[in-house]
Amino acid sequence: MEKTEIIQWVEAAAVRAVKTAAQAAVGVIGATTYMGGVDWALVASTAALSAILSLLTSVAGIPEVGGGASVAKLAKHAKAE
């Protein structure tokens, strides 16, 4: 495992977090019956929280990098090299 895998993990986790935040925002906006009724602070906080939760979930591993290895395993192998 190389340090490049950690960089790949960060990139993949960031992409997942942004997608998750966008999906959460769409859900909150979609729950509003009219555009003037959108609570934008609620949309932003929901999107931010979902992005954080996505990043925390990705710590356990994401299939795009290292065969789904966790961040700890990637870091351990990178440190050993």
Side-chain angles (χ1 to χ4, degrees):
M1 308 275 173
E2 299 176 8
K3 289 187 179 189
T4 56
E5 285 185 318
I6 293 176
I7 293 169
Q8 290 172 344
W9 179 90
V10 170
E11 290 172 351
V15 168
R16 283 176 171 243
V18 169
K19 286 181 179 182
T20 301
Q23 291 167 345
V26 167
V28 173
I29 293 168
T32 303
T33 56
Y34 63 99
M35 206 55 180
V38 175
D39 182 350
W40 293 106
L42 178 63
V43 171
S45 64
T46 301
L49 180 59
S50 65
I52 291 167
L53 293 174
S54 175
L55 288 172
L56 292 173
T57 301
S58 293
V59 168
I62 50 179
E64 296 92 344
V65 181
S70 69
V71 172
K73 284 183 182 178
L74 292 174
K76 182 179 178 183
H77 287 107
K79 202 176 200 181
E81 293 181 354

